């Protein structure tokens, strides 16, 4: 058993920032990550970091834009903490040597982004995430923080009280990808889950192959509710063949969207007559698909994004990376031709329910970054708000996990008696015969070591079962079925029948998963086994996304419903929560907090 | 292998819908088992149909295989896979196809598939390249994929990267200025020109292609190698780097197995997937080392 004060799961931007923060509090910290930190998906972020840094801008404006962008499904205390802290965290990165793009006077540059009332997106070319990830990793190296790279964490080790609110997290279980060894990691103070996105629930996504929702599924099965999972962001500009992201920076710098008739449809068809290409992502994504569905798409599939008029100098200075991506992955020269783009899954606004210090309802178990839902983005995340989220909430979670008293959080967590619940008339949850995993089966309070040992035994058993089976279903087939159904039915446009179909498909995939087997019997670098375990996580998150989407019969932010074309504030100013409930998911709700420390936000109609 | 007709398929679907009403236990159990069997058959039929579909153009992928644990794989060999070719397909796409359709034990690292995570550097048709960035249409068939040379092979295409990481970290790759501006919201100024000077060096994705291509590194395990020297360059050339740190850094890169080992063969520059002028950066640091030695006289 390995032992540290704080265990951070995941080595991307959030995990690294959390580890640095915990280390600065004097904790003995270790990062456990299934990739090497520099391989993390934060490195693929392109656009930038929103922070009110300049005269004429203010955290209040940033907060207002974020709340409006969220379509009033974000919690005000989260937004206020975020917008007030983003400037110092951004400059902190600068002090750590992050190579930001610069103005003539040597100060950092900022540019306009969608949904922002001020050009407050700080950036480093069109590869901001790469530089952020590497800058943070450099600081981890500088501090000598221990990193267990290529160790795949598969389970949180929590105590077994009946009520998740009474449980405590003592560590995690991971296996060494290189050797297959399963080991317990005890966290004397706290665990921070920073496992990133879940884009692999879809087959057209900007997310890395590693983004399989591991942390979300892990926390969910340990008893933590997962929040607003139906709120999935589809980025309007991804390359059609691969899903590779074309930064919003292109539109921020003045890039224009055209349909196959050569019309600038954002204006000509009135999708966003004020903001055009710089409307929020949900608005632009729907506009593009509406064009394609109306027969004005190129090759019936995509639209064109043109940046030629920006001129070679500006493009090479600020968007050079985009030229390489268009060339390498679509064979298009962005200086001479418009680039083909279409919407693709990009970001999970929902995730593990946490308070503003990153703590879940389980003592000692924290989450931050994309895998968490502090409820900052609500129903739609503004471009440029993900990277500051990593550093702001990563740092807070790290500090809190290290035992620092940050005061009383305003955001509540955990299921409470009297919560408003809902039943769906479509079967969900575990198929008959599937054994319930003993997260909380004994009702015996035990020592931290015993809790971890039990979790290690459970994981060993699970892995051995998978490896011992001589034949059965290949996980790749199960995964592909789920991805296809999600892309078909739980995408930008959602219809009741499609959502029900997706739940039936997920249910069918679960049944097939019962017979899944791992053909590779080696303990050395067994990616077959790793992907098989990941697929299980995808099933859980896909189900929660779809359940939330089916229940929410309104149109809010990224969540569009064919049968319900209006935002229903009377009924739906509330967060969707799903509790694992021993494999029988329970849907319930918690009111949105529109009242912050300093401001109260009145829902207004979103117009662009 | 079963040959299901389309009619049977649609029947199964109606049954699946009816089943959502959940009849009571044993009957339901049986029904589900029947459904399961039918699904398995249907899928087998689908798979058979899929297998036939690989008509069109295919390419031959020859992949290096090795697993220290599995009998029959302990002796390194090449496996051939016929992969359907479509315009736009990359080597990584082909590897994924081979793994998901033919042999799930085929092992390689990959993640972002957009040339930024740096985990899928392989030796492809005799050169170090990123699998995701290499179009099949640019290669001669058969396409030969091997692990990066001069690194220990863990399994199939996965190589041991620890030595590479150690070298990267040995140059103390982190920013360490003498002082910071006062006020937590005050940034350090950096001229756009200076940023331009270091810009290319900051693009390194730690893929290890350069190190693997370097003849000197192959013969001298202690040589810092192009990636690590480039990391030192990134900080040394930054006008905000502290004086003390600059001196320390120079000592590191000037050591016996540092910059002077480079014989300007340009192989690192040739293979770098991010077009970093590595050889040039090494030469510039040699110049800096000479200049600073002159100063001490």
């Amino acid at each position: 058993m390995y032992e540290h004060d704080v265990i951070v799961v995941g080595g991307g931007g959030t995990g690294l920032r959390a580890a640095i923060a915990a280390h600065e509090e004097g904790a003995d910290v270790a990062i456990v990550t299934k990739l090497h930190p520099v391989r993390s998906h934060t490195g693929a972020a392109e656009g930038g970091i929103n922070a009110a840094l300049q005269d004429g801008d203010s955290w209040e404006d940033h907060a207002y834009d974020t709340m409006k962008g969220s379509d009033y499904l974000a919690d005000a205390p989260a937004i206020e903490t975020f917008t007030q802290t983003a400037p110092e965290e951004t400059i902190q990165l600068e002090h750590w040597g992050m190579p930001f793009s610069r103005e003539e006077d040597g100060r950092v540059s900022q540019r306009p982004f969608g949904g922002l009332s001020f050009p407050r997106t700080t950036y480093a070319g069109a590869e901001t995430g790469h530089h952020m990830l590497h800058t943070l990793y450099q600081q981890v190296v500088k501090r000598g923080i221990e990193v267990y790279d290529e160790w795949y964490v598969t389970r949180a080790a929590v105590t077994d009280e009946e009520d998740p609110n009474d449980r405590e997290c003592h560590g995690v279980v991971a296996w060494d990808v290189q050797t297959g060894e399963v080991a317990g990691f005890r966290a004397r103070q706290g665990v921070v889950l920073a496992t990133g996105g879940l884009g692999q629930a879809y087959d057209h996504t900007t997310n890395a192959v590693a983004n399989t929702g591991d942390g979300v599924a892990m926390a969910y099965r340990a008893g933590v509710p997962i929040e607003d999972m139906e709120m999935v962001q589809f980025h309007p500009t991804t390359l059609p063949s691969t899903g590779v992201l074309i930064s919003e920076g292109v539109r921020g710098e003045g890039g224009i969207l055209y349909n196959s008739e050569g019309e600038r449809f954002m204006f000509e068809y009135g999708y966003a007559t004020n903001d055009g290409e710089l409307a929020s992502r949900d608005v632009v994504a729907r506009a593009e698909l509406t064009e394609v569905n109306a027969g004005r798409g190129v090759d019936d599939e995509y639209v064109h994004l043109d940046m030629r008029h920006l001129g070679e100098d500006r493009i090479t200075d600020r968007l050079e990376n985009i030229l390489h991506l268009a060339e390498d992955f679509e064979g298009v020269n962005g200086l001479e031709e418009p680039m083909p783009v279409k919407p693709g899954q990009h970001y999970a606004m929902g995730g593990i329910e946490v308070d503003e210090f990153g703590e879940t309802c389980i003592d000692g178990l924290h989450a931050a970054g994309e895998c968490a839902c502090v409820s900052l983005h609500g129903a739609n995340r503004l471009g440029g708000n993900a990277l500051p989220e990593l550093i702001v909430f990563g740092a807070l979670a790290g500090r809190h996990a290290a035992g620092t008293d940050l005061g009383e959080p305003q955001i509540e967590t955990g299921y409470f008696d009297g919560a408003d619940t809902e039943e769906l008339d479509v079967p969900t949850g575990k198929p008959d015969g599937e054994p319930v995993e003993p997260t909380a089966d004994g009702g015996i309070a035990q020592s931290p070591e015993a809790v971890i040992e039990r979790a290690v035994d459970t994981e060993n058993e699970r892995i051995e079962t998978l490896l011992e089976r001589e034949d059965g279903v290949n996980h790749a087939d199960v995964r592909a079925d789920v991805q296809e159904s999600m892309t078909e039915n739980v995408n930008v446009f959602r219809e009741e029948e499609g959502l029900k179909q997706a739940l039936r498909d997920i249910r069918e995939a679960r049944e097939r998963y019962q017979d899944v087997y791992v053909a590779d019997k080696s303990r050395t670098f067994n990616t077959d086994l790793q992907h098989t375990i990941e697929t299980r996580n995808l099933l859980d998150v896909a189900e929660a996304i779809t359940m939330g989407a089916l229940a929410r019969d309104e149109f809010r932010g990224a969540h569009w419903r064919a049968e319900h074309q209006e935002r229903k504030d009377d009924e739906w100013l509330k967060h969707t929560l799903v509790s694992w409930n021993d494999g029988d998911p329970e849907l319930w709700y918690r009111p949105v907090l529109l009242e912050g420390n300093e401001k109260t936000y009145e829902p207004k109609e979103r117009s662009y | 292998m079963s040959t299901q007709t389309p009619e049977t398929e649609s029947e199964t679907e109606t049954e699946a819908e009816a089943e959502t009403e959940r009849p009571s236990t044993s009957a339901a159990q049986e029904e589900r088992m029947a459904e399961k069997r039918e699904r398995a058959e249907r899928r087998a039929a689908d798979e058979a149909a899929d297998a036939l579909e690989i008509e069109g153009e295919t390419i031959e992928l020859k992949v290096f295989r090795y697993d220290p644990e599995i009998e029959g794989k302990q002796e390194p060999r090449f496996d051939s896979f016929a992969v359907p070719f479509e315009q736009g397909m990359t080597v990584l796409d082909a590897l994924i196809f081979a793994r998901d359709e033919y042999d799930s034990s085929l092992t390689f690292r990959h993640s972002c598939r957009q040339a930024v995570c740096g985990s899928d550097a392989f030796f492809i048709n005799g050169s170090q390249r990123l699998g995701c960035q290499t179009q099949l249409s640019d290669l001669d068939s058969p396409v030969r994929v091997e692990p990066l040379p001069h690194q220990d092979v863990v399994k199939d295409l996965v190589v041991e990267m620890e030595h590479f990481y150690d070298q990267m970290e040995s140059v103390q790759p982190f920013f360490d200025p003498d002082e910071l501006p006062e006020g937590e919201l005050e940034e350090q100024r950096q001229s756009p020109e200076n940023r331009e000077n270091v810009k290319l060096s900051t693009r390194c994705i730690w893929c290890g292609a350069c190190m693997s291509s370097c003849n000197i590194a192959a013969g001298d395990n202690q040589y810092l190698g192009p990636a690590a020297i480039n990391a030192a360059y990134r900080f040394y050339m930054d006008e905000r780097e502290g004086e003390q740190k600059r001196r320390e850094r120079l000592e590191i890169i000037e050591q016996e197995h540092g910059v002077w080992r480079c014989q300007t063969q340009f192989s690192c520059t040739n293979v770098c997937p991010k077009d970093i002028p590595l050889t040039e950066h090494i030469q510039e640091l040699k110049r800096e080392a000479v200049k600073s030695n002159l100063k001490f006289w």
Side-chain angles (χ1 to χ4, degrees):
Chain A
M1 189 179 301
Y2 299 88
E3 197 169 322
H4 297 272
D5 293 338
V6 175
I7 301 285
V8 176
V9 183
T14 308
L16 298 172
R17 186 65 191 89
I20 293 168
H23 187 261
E24 282 178 347
E25 298 297 315
D28 156 30
V29 192
I31 297 169
V32 189
T33 163
K34 71 176 174 179
L35 306 171
H36 182 279
V38 302
R39 315 287 177 220
S40 305
H41 197 55
T42 301
E46 294 167 9
I49 308 170
N50 295 340
L53 288 174
Q54 295 183 32
D55 291 343
D57 197 8
S58 66
W59 73 260
E60 288 94 341
D61 287 353
H62 187 188
Y64 177 75
D65 291 346
T66 304
M67 183 55 97
K68 178 183 163 208
S70 81
D71 225 349
Y72 302 91
L73 194 73
D75 285 339
I79 288 186
E80 289 187 354
T81 306
F82 169 71
T83 52
Q84 289 168 353
T85 321
E88 65 203 59
E89 278 292 337
T90 305
I91 295 300
Q92 174 69 81
L93 281 176
E94 202 279 348
H95 288 179
W96 285 337
M98 175 151 167
F100 282 109
S101 293
R102 301 275 164 174
E103 293 299 316
E104 279 305 314
D105 64 1
R107 307 198 68 159
V108 297
S109 298
Q110 292 198 301
R111 65 180 165 204
F113 246 51
L116 298 182
S117 57
F118 192 91
R120 72 169 71 89
T121 308
T122 321
Y123 61 99
E127 45 201 30
T128 315
H130 164 77
H131 292 306
M132 182 193 246
L133 179 69
H134 281 257
T135 302
L136 287 168
Y137 184 60
Q138 287 154 13
Q139 293 299 311
V140 163
V141 171
K142 183 178 180 182
R143 288 164 174 76
I145 293 170
E146 184 134 19
V147 179
Y148 297 85
D149 65 310
E150 294 185 334
W151 274 83
Y152 181 29
V153 174
T154 56
R155 170 178 290 266
V158 301
T159 57
D160 51 9
E161 285 80 5
E162 181 89 6
D163 182 349
N165 295 331
D166 299 332
R167 290 178 197 165
E168 213 177 323
C169 178
H170 291 300
V172 296
V173 183
W175 55 279
D176 183 348
V177 178
Q178 287 222 17
T179 65
E181 176 204 349
V182 177
F185 285 77
R186 183 177 170 207
R188 287 182 291 253
Q189 298 272 16
V191 169
V192 181
L193 298 177
T195 58
L198 48 80
Q200 289 297 320
Y202 288 84
D203 70 2
H204 189 81
T205 174
T206 63
N207 281 200
V209 177
N211 291 3
T212 50
D214 298 333
V216 175
M218 213 184 304
Y220 177 44
R221 282 148 75 171
V224 181
I226 48 179
E227 183 174 354
D228 293 338
M229 292 294 285
E230 69 273 26
M231 296 304 177
V232 177
Q233 179 160 72
F234 299 90
H235 196 290
T237 58
T238 72
L239 296 177
S241 55
T242 49
V244 165
L245 176 69
I246 295 300
S247 166
E248 187 160 309
V250 176
R251 283 171 293 134
E253 296 291 345
I256 295 176
L257 291 166
Y258 293 109
N259 63 19
S260 63
E261 323 266 292
E263 294 164 315
R264 192 173 178 185
F265 56 87
M266 290 305 296
F267 289 105
E268 294 185 26
Y269 287 89
Y271 298 109
T273 30
N274 294 327
D275 298 316
E277 282 81 5
L278 278 180
S280 283
R281 291 177 170 178
D282 56 333
V283 176
V284 183
R286 279 191 298 271
E288 290 176 0
L289 281 188
T290 308
E291 287 299 294
V292 172
N293 293 344
R296 295 188 294 271
V298 185
D299 290 347
D300 280 336
E301 196 198 349
Y302 51 85
V303 296
H304 276 141
L305 174 62
D306 197 350
M307 62 176 186
R308 289 173 294 183
H309 57 285
L310 301 177
E312 191 170 344
D313 286 351
R314 180 132 161 233
I315 295 173
T316 351
D317 182 40
R318 300 174 173 202
L319 300 166
E320 190 185 344
N321 184 41
I322 302 303
L323 287 178
H324 296 309
L325 295 175
E327 175 72 45
D328 291 345
F329 301 104
E330 212 69 49
V332 166
N333 179 349
L335 293 173
E336 287 169 9
E337 307 158 79
M339 299 174 284
V341 292
K342 73 173 197 181
Q345 192 283 346
H346 182 53
Y347 187 89
M349 269 86 72
I352 304 163
E353 187 204 42
V354 292
D355 63 29
E356 59 270 48
F357 308 136
E359 196 170 36
T360 66
C361 67
I362 295 184
D363 249 14
L365 183 60
H366 298 72
E370 189 172 345
C371 70
C373 180
V374 54
S375 205
L376 170 65
H377 309 302
N380 173 61
R381 174 176 71 80
L382 295 181
N385 262 359
L387 293 183
E389 173 191 17
L390 304 188
I391 44 181
V392 169
F393 292 106
L396 285 169
R399 259 171 235 144
H400 197 267
T404 308
D405 184 3
L406 300 174
E408 201 47 43
Q410 281 176 278
I411 296 171
E412 285 175 39
T413 55
Y415 182 83
F416 55 97
D417 280 339
D420 181 13
T421 59
E422 184 160 330
E423 300 264 331
L424 298 173
D425 62 350
V426 186
T428 56
K430 62 178 197 292
D432 292 342
E434 181 185 336
V436 176
E437 289 168 27
T439 294
D441 60 341
I444 325 152
Q446 286 175 313
S447 71
E449 287 81 2
V451 170
I452 294 168
E453 286 303 337
R454 191 190 55 189
V456 168
D457 291 347
T458 311
E459 282 312 281
N460 265 323
E461 216 178 285
R462 173 187 186 188
I463 287 168
E464 268 153 34
T465 312
L466 286 171
L467 288 174
E468 273 165 16
R469 254 180 230 155
E470 284 303 323
D471 62 6
V473 175
N474 179 356
H475 78 88
D477 293 338
V478 178
R479 191 186 283 208
D481 288 349
V482 173
Q483 290 172 330
E484 278 163 30
S485 182
M486 292 295 285
T487 303
E488 176 71 27
N489 300 307
V490 201
N491 213 299
V492 175
F493 293 132
R494 299 168 172 185
E495 291 175 28
E496 179 162 341
E497 200 26 62
L499 295 170
K500 288 185 172 164
Q501 185 55 49
L503 281 174
R504 286 193 289 266
D505 292 343
I506 292 163
R507 169 87 179 192
E508 187 180 317
R510 269 195 200 286
E511 296 202 14
R512 297 186 69 219
Y513 190 88
Q514 284 186 271
D515 301 325
V516 84
Y517 89 116
V518 176
D520 187 354
K521 303 299 177 197
S522 175
R523 284 270 173 177
T524 306
F525 221 100
N526 192 336
T527 51
D528 195 4
L529 173 61
Q530 182 178 335
H531 297 158
T532 303
I533 294 174
E534 290 170 348
T535 298
R536 173 65 206 272
N537 295 338
L538 287 172
L539 286 169
D540 290 340
V541 302
E543 181 177 61
I545 292 169
T546 314
M547 284 175 70
L550 179 59
R552 186 176 284 273
D553 50 8
E554 65 158 353
F555 168 18
R556 184 182 298 271
H559 176 66
W560 180 100
R561 285 285 306 267
E563 306 84 0
H564 306 275
Q565 285 292 297
E566 52 177 335
R567 196 175 82 193
K568 298 175 185 166
D569 284 348
D570 292 345
E571 224 183 312
W572 283 108
L573 275 176
K574 57 187 185 185
H575 298 293
T576 307
L577 289 129
V578 185
S579 290
W580 172 245
N581 203 11
D582 284 339
D584 183 16
E586 186 172 6
L587 252 183
W588 56 282
Y589 297 94
R590 181 193 294 285
V592 171
L593 299 176
L594 291 177
E595 197 182 324
N597 268 331
E598 320 228 7
K599 296 233 180 279
T600 298
Y601 300 83
E602 272 300 315
K604 290 194 189 113
E605 204 173 319
R606 280 170 82 211
S607 59
Y608 289 93
Chain B
M1 211 162 273
S2 145
T3 45
Q4 293 264 318
T5 60
E7 289 96 274
T8 347
E9 282 183 33
S10 62
E11 247 171 60
T12 324
E13 270 165 38
T14 6
E15 253 185 45
E17 271 165 43
E19 198 264 324
T20 58
E21 282 168 31
R22 284 183 168 259
S24 67
T25 47
S26 69
Q29 191 78 24
E30 263 172 44
E31 212 175 299
R32 258 194 298 278
M33 287 310 291
E35 205 192 305
K36 220 172 178 176
R37 269 195 302 278
E38 271 184 62
R39 263 204 311 270
E41 282 169 16
R42 193 172 74 210
R43 218 162 283 276
D46 284 352
E47 274 160 25
D50 280 351
L52 291 175
E53 267 171 36
I54 311 183
E55 283 167 357
E57 204 183 334
T58 60
I59 55 113
E60 189 193 352
L61 194 64
K62 290 185 78 143
V63 188
F64 177 90
R65 303 300 301 274
Y66 163 77
D67 187 324
E69 265 186 74
I70 300 293
E71 214 171 313
K73 278 188 69 184
Q74 285 149 334
E75 202 53 50
R77 65 168 201 276
F78 281 87
D79 277 356
S80 282
F81 301 99
V83 175
F85 173 77
E86 275 171 50
Q87 196 57 41
M89 253 180 104
T90 63
V91 171
L92 179 63
D93 294 332
L95 285 169
I96 291 174
F97 184 91
R99 179 194 67 198
D100 289 354
E101 301 296 325
Y102 296 125
D103 181 355
S104 62
S105 73
L106 177 58
T107 305
F108 46 94
R109 288 191 182 100
H110 70 297
S111 187
C112 77
R113 87 263 177 273
Q114 62 180 82
V116 72
C117 78
S119 58
D120 69 338
F122 309 123
F123 198 54
I124 301 168
N125 281 7
S127 182
Q128 286 82 358
R129 313 174 202 236
L130 297 183
C132 66
Q133 207 188 21
T134 307
Q135 294 284 326
L136 286 174
S137 55
D138 292 344
L139 301 170
D140 292 333
S141 186
V143 172
R144 243 173 111 93
V145 190
E146 298 164 72
L148 286 181
H150 309 310
Q151 264 122 310
D152 290 340
V153 178
V154 176
K155 175 175 170 180
D156 294 349
L157 300 174
V158 174
V159 294
E160 180 60 70
M161 292 291 286
E162 281 314 308
H163 176 62
F164 176 80
Y165 296 146
D166 288 346
Q167 297 298 78
M168 288 304 278
E169 287 170 16
S170 71
V171 300
Q172 305 192 8
F174 44 77
F175 195 61
D176 200 359
D178 284 343
E179 55 180 52
L180 288 169
E182 277 181 33
E184 61 181 13
L185 290 181
E186 198 54 44
E187 69 258 52
Q188 315 159 85
R189 307 285 177 111
Q190 181 189 24
S191 66
E193 295 73 32
N194 184 244
R195 177 177 187 269
E196 205 55 35
N197 283 346
V198 297
K199 188 170 92 177
L200 293 174
S201 68
T202 65
R203 295 230 170 116
C204 175
I205 55 172
W206 294 42
C207 67
C210 57
M211 189 80 150
S212 160
S213 78
C214 175
N215 282 331
I216 318 303
D220 174 4
N221 205 30
Q222 291 178 63
Y223 174 43
L224 290 174
I229 296 174
N230 175 70
Y233 177 97
R234 181 259 168 276
F235 295 103
Y236 186 84
M237 292 299 183
D238 192 313
E239 63 193 11
R240 302 162 302 169
E241 170 101 323
E243 260 321 302
Q244 172 67 21
K245 198 74 204 176
R246 263 171 87 87
R247 270 197 296 276
E248 282 173 33
R249 217 182 284 290
L250 209 51
E251 276 167 30
I252 297 171
I253 57 181
E254 241 199 318
Q255 54 160 298
E256 195 188 342
H257 299 274
V259 287
W260 302 110
R261 289 281 149 129
C262 170
Q263 295 180 6
T264 54
Q265 295 175 345
F266 287 94
S267 47
C268 55
T269 305
N270 288 339
V271 300
C272 178
K274 303 312 268 186
D275 300 327
I276 303 170
L278 294 159
T279 314
E280 221 171 279
H281 288 170
I282 301 172
Q283 304 322 304
E284 281 185 57
L285 287 178
K286 282 182 184 169
R287 203 173 322 144
E288 291 295 318
V290 171
K291 274 190 333 206
S292 91
N293 282 338
L294 289 176
K295 250 188 273 170
F296 294 143
W297 287 344

